[in-house]
Amino acid sequence: MSTADLITATPRGLHCGAGDFYIDPWQPVERAVITHAHGDHLRAGSARYHLAARGAAVARQRLPAGANIQSLDYGETIEFGSTRVSLHPAGHILGSAQVRIERDGEIWVVSGDYKRDPDPTCDPFEIVACDVFISEATFALPAYRWTPAGQVAREIVEWWRANREHGAASVLFAYALGKAQRILAELAAVGDGAVQDAVFVHGALVGLVEAYRAQGVAMLPTLPASQSKAGSYAGALILAPPSAAGSPWMRRFGEHRTGFCSGWMRVRGDRRRRGYDRGFVLSDHADWPSLLSTFRDTGARRILLTHGYTDAMCRYLAEQGVDASALRTEYGAEE
Ligand SMILES: [Zn+2]
Ligand SMILES: [Zn+2]
């Protein structure tokens, strides 16, 4: 068995020399294996993209027309050079995948972004046994522990109802891909379908919500926010990407309250600094306990960390006697 690392961090991205491919490269390459369609992982310009079939429609919306996309079912194996490669659910957003690479009996897994909490919009994270696990560390501090999503959804409904009683609209900001659809799905599940109101969505969300519906994800009904007259939003819930906050687009809503839905809302000071009326803690990343349990569950003898609080996690793992180090990558900004 070769002792060379199967995956290395290069100036273009995470590279597998034995298979001559890159994973989520940040510069254009010949062959890119993609974990998911967020902007820091899926970038335009590569000659060929290999990604999970469940995420292909979403990826097409995020890449230029005519991009060469080859989709793989979860668990299907493809051979690149001397490696066998397969994709496995990561539980992060619809179609998100971990990449399993095998060569000469040695197995490496690149997680991409992932979470362990249940999410009605995507396939649950699959434990893939491996020798080396390459993980994200976005929320790798002990303070990050998530509240169950169903509880967060009930808090959102209460906030929306209270604003409605005051005749105000509720504008909730969330990442356009993944988080917005998860909110719509979690709201549809509150009280076994007690909430059935249509939700207005910003134009940046319309195509992505349709792509999720086409994959069979059940969500609250939606209406494009652009098509209603100013003044007709009193009491409504509007979903929009963070980039719309404070923009002229907001004027149509009249009296309104704002909220932001993100794992970052766990930290109180962050909530104030961002200037939203209300923060809801809902993340599509693994929290501290589930990062640690995932490392154990994979049985990996070595952990490599790509982005987030990599130093804090490396220190902690080293104290536990785990072989851990950080890779230099350009992942991080979700959208
Ligand atoms: Zn992501
Ligand atoms: Zn990411």
Side-chain angles (χ1 to χ4, degrees), residues 216-238:
V217 177
M219 294 174 285
L220 283 186
T222 51
L223 293 166
S226 54
Q227 284 172 16
S228 294
K229 290 191 291 289
S232 60
Y233 295 97
L237 176 66
I238 299 108

PDB file of all heavy atoms in Angstrom, residues 216-238:
ATOM      1  N   GLY A 216     -39.895  15.999  -4.712  1.00  0.00           N
ATOM      2  CA  GLY A 216     -40.858  15.416  -3.778  1.00  0.00           C
ATOM      3  C   GLY A 216     -40.795  15.959  -2.369  1.00  0.00           C
ATOM      4  O   GLY A 216     -41.360  15.360  -1.453  1.00  0.00           O
ATOM      5  N   VAL A 217     -40.114  17.081  -2.147  1.00  0.00           N
ATOM      6  CA  VAL A 217     -40.026  17.658  -0.802  1.00  0.00           C
ATOM      7  C   VAL A 217     -41.315  18.432  -0.497  1.00  0.00           C
ATOM      8  O   VAL A 217     -41.705  19.323  -1.256  1.00  0.00           O
ATOM      9  CB  VAL A 217     -38.808  18.600  -0.691  1.00  0.00           C
ATOM     10  CG1 VAL A 217     -38.761  19.268   0.681  1.00  0.00           C
ATOM     11  CG2 VAL A 217     -37.517  17.833  -0.971  1.00  0.00           C
ATOM     12  N   ALA A 218     -41.993  18.080   0.606  1.00  0.00           N
ATOM     13  CA  ALA A 218     -43.244  18.744   0.996  1.00  0.00           C
ATOM     14  C   ALA A 218     -42.938  20.033   1.743  1.00  0.00           C
ATOM     15  O   ALA A 218     -42.195  20.035   2.720  1.00  0.00           O
ATOM     16  CB  ALA A 218     -44.077  17.812   1.886  1.00  0.00           C
ATOM     17  N   MET A 219     -43.487  21.142   1.266  1.00  0.00           N
ATOM     18  CA  MET A 219     -43.248  22.458   1.879  1.00  0.00           C
ATOM     19  C   MET A 219     -44.552  23.233   1.920  1.00  0.00           C
ATOM     20  O   MET A 219     -45.514  22.870   1.225  1.00  0.00           O
ATOM     21  CB  MET A 219     -42.209  23.236   1.051  1.00  0.00           C
ATOM     22  CG  MET A 219     -40.821  22.607   1.066  1.00  0.00           C
ATOM     23  SD  MET A 219     -39.650  23.448  -0.055  1.00  0.00           S
ATOM     24  CE  MET A 219     -40.219  22.859  -1.639  1.00  0.00           C
ATOM     25  N   LEU A 220     -44.600  24.328   2.683  1.00  0.00           N
ATOM     26  CA  LEU A 220     -45.765  25.204   2.635  1.00  0.00           C
ATOM     27  C   LEU A 220     -45.907  25.760   1.215  1.00  0.00           C
ATOM     28  O   LEU A 220     -44.918  25.913   0.504  1.00  0.00           O
ATOM     29  CB  LEU A 220     -45.603  26.376   3.615  1.00  0.00           C
ATOM     30  CG  LEU A 220     -45.830  26.082   5.099  1.00  0.00           C
ATOM     31  CD1 LEU A 220     -45.776  27.380   5.904  1.00  0.00           C
ATOM     32  CD2 LEU A 220     -47.144  25.354   5.357  1.00  0.00           C
ATOM     33  N   PRO A 221     -47.154  26.072   0.795  1.00  0.00           N
ATOM     34  CA  PRO A 221     -47.314  26.701  -0.518  1.00  0.00           C
ATOM     35  C   PRO A 221     -46.585  28.039  -0.555  1.00  0.00           C
ATOM     36  O   PRO A 221     -46.438  28.700   0.480  1.00  0.00           O
ATOM     37  CB  PRO A 221     -48.828  26.883  -0.646  1.00  0.00           C
ATOM     38  CG  PRO A 221     -49.395  26.696   0.712  1.00  0.00           C
ATOM     39  CD  PRO A 221     -48.416  25.889   1.517  1.00  0.00           C
ATOM     40  N   THR A 222     -46.104  28.419  -1.730  1.00  0.00           N
ATOM     41  CA  THR A 222     -45.350  29.682  -1.843  1.00  0.00           C
ATOM     42  C   THR A 222     -45.926  30.548  -2.966  1.00  0.00           C
ATOM     43  O   THR A 222     -46.538  30.048  -3.910  1.00  0.00           O
ATOM     44  CB  THR A 222     -43.861  29.406  -2.149  1.00  0.00           C
ATOM     45  OG1 THR A 222     -43.766  28.520  -3.262  1.00  0.00           O
ATOM     46  CG2 THR A 222     -43.168  28.791  -0.962  1.00  0.00           C
ATOM     47  N   LEU A 223     -45.711  31.847  -2.831  1.00  0.00           N
ATOM     48  CA  LEU A 223     -46.098  32.834  -3.853  1.00  0.00           C
ATOM     49  C   LEU A 223     -44.896  33.746  -4.081  1.00  0.00           C
ATOM     50  O   LEU A 223     -44.203  34.095  -3.121  1.00  0.00           O
ATOM     51  CB  LEU A 223     -47.266  33.691  -3.353  1.00  0.00           C
ATOM     52  CG  LEU A 223     -48.608  32.997  -3.140  1.00  0.00           C
ATOM     53  CD1 LEU A 223     -49.541  33.899  -2.328  1.00  0.00           C
ATOM     54  CD2 LEU A 223     -49.232  32.654  -4.485  1.00  0.00           C
ATOM     55  N   PRO A 224     -44.633  34.129  -5.323  1.00  0.00           N
ATOM     56  CA  PRO A 224     -43.527  35.067  -5.548  1.00  0.00           C
ATOM     57  C   PRO A 224     -43.855  36.430  -4.941  1.00  0.00           C
ATOM     58  O   PRO A 224     -44.942  36.964  -5.188  1.00  0.00           O
ATOM     59  CB  PRO A 224     -43.427  35.166  -7.074  1.00  0.00           C
ATOM     60  CG  PRO A 224     -44.454  34.237  -7.635  1.00  0.00           C
ATOM     61  CD  PRO A 224     -45.356  33.782  -6.546  1.00  0.00           C
ATOM     62  N   ALA A 225     -42.941  36.979  -4.151  1.00  0.00           N
ATOM     63  CA  ALA A 225     -43.213  38.256  -3.477  1.00  0.00           C
ATOM     64  C   ALA A 225     -43.337  39.400  -4.476  1.00  0.00           C
ATOM     65  O   ALA A 225     -43.963  40.412  -4.183  1.00  0.00           O
ATOM     66  CB  ALA A 225     -42.107  38.558  -2.468  1.00  0.00           C
ATOM     67  N   SER A 226     -42.792  39.224  -5.657  1.00  0.00           N
ATOM     68  CA  SER A 226     -42.803  40.319  -6.636  1.00  0.00           C
ATOM     69  C   SER A 226     -44.192  40.568  -7.220  1.00  0.00           C
ATOM     70  O   SER A 226     -44.469  41.651  -7.726  1.00  0.00           O
ATOM     71  CB  SER A 226     -41.841  39.988  -7.770  1.00  0.00           C
ATOM     72  OG  SER A 226     -42.158  38.712  -8.301  1.00  0.00           O
ATOM     73  N   GLN A 227     -45.058  39.575  -7.172  1.00  0.00           N
ATOM     74  CA  GLN A 227     -46.321  39.684  -7.901  1.00  0.00           C
ATOM     75  C   GLN A 227     -47.466  40.279  -7.092  1.00  0.00           C
ATOM     76  O   GLN A 227     -48.571  40.435  -7.625  1.00  0.00           O
ATOM     77  CB  GLN A 227     -46.731  38.315  -8.448  1.00  0.00           C
ATOM     78  CG  GLN A 227     -45.900  37.938  -9.675  1.00  0.00           C
ATOM     79  CD  GLN A 227     -46.141  36.522 -10.131  1.00  0.00           C
ATOM     80  OE1 GLN A 227     -47.111  35.904  -9.740  1.00  0.00           O
ATOM     81  NE2 GLN A 227     -45.245  36.017 -10.960  1.00  0.00           N
ATOM     82  N   SER A 228     -47.236  40.578  -5.835  1.00  0.00           N
ATOM     83  CA  SER A 228     -48.321  41.152  -5.050  1.00  0.00           C
ATOM     84  C   SER A 228     -48.167  42.661  -4.948  1.00  0.00           C
ATOM     85  O   SER A 228     -47.066  43.199  -5.042  1.00  0.00           O
ATOM     86  CB  SER A 228     -48.339  40.536  -3.656  1.00  0.00           C
ATOM     87  OG  SER A 228     -48.659  39.172  -3.763  1.00  0.00           O
ATOM     88  N   LYS A 229     -49.272  43.325  -4.770  1.00  0.00           N
ATOM     89  CA  LYS A 229     -49.258  44.788  -4.667  1.00  0.00           C
ATOM     90  C   LYS A 229     -48.735  45.221  -3.301  1.00  0.00           C
ATOM     91  O   LYS A 229     -48.939  44.525  -2.301  1.00  0.00           O
ATOM     92  CB  LYS A 229     -50.672  45.334  -4.850  1.00  0.00           C
ATOM     93  CG  LYS A 229     -51.203  45.196  -6.275  1.00  0.00           C
ATOM     94  CD  LYS A 229     -52.482  45.975  -6.457  1.00  0.00           C
ATOM     95  CE  LYS A 229     -53.660  45.394  -5.691  1.00  0.00           C
ATOM     96  NZ  LYS A 229     -54.149  44.127  -6.256  1.00  0.00           N
ATOM     97  N   ALA A 230     -48.055  46.356  -3.289  1.00  0.00           N
ATOM     98  CA  ALA A 230     -47.633  46.917  -2.013  1.00  0.00           C
ATOM     99  C   ALA A 230     -48.869  47.081  -1.129  1.00  0.00           C
ATOM    100  O   ALA A 230     -49.946  47.407  -1.613  1.00  0.00           O
ATOM    101  CB  ALA A 230     -46.952  48.261  -2.240  1.00  0.00           C
ATOM    102  N   GLY A 231     -48.710  46.821   0.172  1.00  0.00           N
ATOM    103  CA  GLY A 231     -49.829  46.977   1.082  1.00  0.00           C
ATOM    104  C   GLY A 231     -50.610  45.690   1.312  1.00  0.00           C
ATOM    105  O   GLY A 231     -51.451  45.628   2.195  1.00  0.00           O
ATOM    106  N   SER A 232     -50.317  44.654   0.524  1.00  0.00           N
ATOM    107  CA  SER A 232     -51.067  43.403   0.689  1.00  0.00           C
ATOM    108  C   SER A 232     -50.294  42.382   1.527  1.00  0.00           C
ATOM    109  O   SER A 232     -50.645  41.217   1.547  1.00  0.00           O
ATOM    110  CB  SER A 232     -51.409  42.811  -0.669  1.00  0.00           C
ATOM    111  OG  SER A 232     -50.237  42.541  -1.401  1.00  0.00           O
ATOM    112  N   TYR A 233     -49.254  42.838   2.212  1.00  0.00           N
ATOM    113  CA  TYR A 233     -48.402  41.905   2.948  1.00  0.00           C
ATOM    114  C   TYR A 233     -48.647  41.910   4.459  1.00  0.00           C
ATOM    115  O   TYR A 233     -47.963  41.201   5.183  1.00  0.00           O
ATOM    116  CB  TYR A 233     -46.935  42.221   2.680  1.00  0.00           C
ATOM    117  CG  TYR A 233     -46.528  41.999   1.248  1.00  0.00           C
ATOM    118  CD1 TYR A 233     -46.484  43.051   0.354  1.00  0.00           C
ATOM    119  CD2 TYR A 233     -46.204  40.726   0.793  1.00  0.00           C
ATOM    120  CE1 TYR A 233     -46.117  42.845  -0.966  1.00  0.00           C
ATOM    121  CE2 TYR A 233     -45.844  40.514  -0.523  1.00  0.00           C
ATOM    122  CZ  TYR A 233     -45.796  41.579  -1.406  1.00  0.00           C
ATOM    123  OH  TYR A 233     -45.436  41.371  -2.704  1.00  0.00           O
ATOM    124  N   ALA A 234     -49.607  42.719   4.930  1.00  0.00           N
ATOM    125  CA  ALA A 234     -49.840  42.777   6.377  1.00  0.00           C
ATOM    126  C   ALA A 234     -50.130  41.375   6.906  1.00  0.00           C
ATOM    127  O   ALA A 234     -50.996  40.681   6.379  1.00  0.00           O
ATOM    128  CB  ALA A 234     -51.004  43.715   6.683  1.00  0.00           C
ATOM    129  N   GLY A 235     -49.382  40.955   7.931  1.00  0.00           N
ATOM    130  CA  GLY A 235     -49.614  39.647   8.535  1.00  0.00           C
ATOM    131  C   GLY A 235     -48.960  38.491   7.812  1.00  0.00           C
ATOM    132  O   GLY A 235     -49.013  37.356   8.282  1.00  0.00           O
ATOM    133  N   ALA A 236     -48.330  38.754   6.669  1.00  0.00           N
ATOM    134  CA  ALA A 236     -47.745  37.665   5.881  1.00  0.00           C
ATOM    135  C   ALA A 236     -46.341  37.313   6.369  1.00  0.00           C
ATOM    136  O   ALA A 236     -45.678  38.101   7.056  1.00  0.00           O
ATOM    137  CB  ALA A 236     -47.687  38.077   4.415  1.00  0.00           C
ATOM    138  N   LEU A 237     -45.887  36.107   5.977  1.00  0.00           N
ATOM    139  CA  LEU A 237     -44.488  35.721   6.171  1.00  0.00           C
ATOM    140  C   LEU A 237     -43.802  35.778   4.813  1.00  0.00           C
ATOM    141  O   LEU A 237     -44.317  35.259   3.825  1.00  0.00           O
ATOM    142  CB  LEU A 237     -44.391  34.305   6.744  1.00  0.00           C
ATOM    143  CG  LEU A 237     -42.970  33.739   6.912  1.00  0.00           C
ATOM    144  CD1 LEU A 237     -42.178  34.525   7.960  1.00  0.00           C
ATOM    145  CD2 LEU A 237     -43.010  32.256   7.297  1.00  0.00           C
ATOM    146  N   ILE A 238     -42.648  36.444   4.788  1.00  0.00           N
ATOM    147  CA  ILE A 238     -41.874  36.570   3.562  1.00  0.00           C
ATOM    148  C   ILE A 238     -40.494  35.973   3.816  1.00  0.00           C
ATOM    149  O   ILE A 238     -39.841  36.286   4.811  1.00  0.00           O
ATOM    150  CB  ILE A 238     -41.725  38.057   3.148  1.00  0.00           C
ATOM    151  CG1 ILE A 238     -43.099  38.683   2.894  1.00  0.00           C
ATOM    152  CG2 ILE A 238     -40.860  38.188   1.897  1.00  0.00           C
ATOM    153  CD1 ILE A 238     -43.544  39.664   3.933  1.00  0.00           C
TER     154      ILE A 238
END
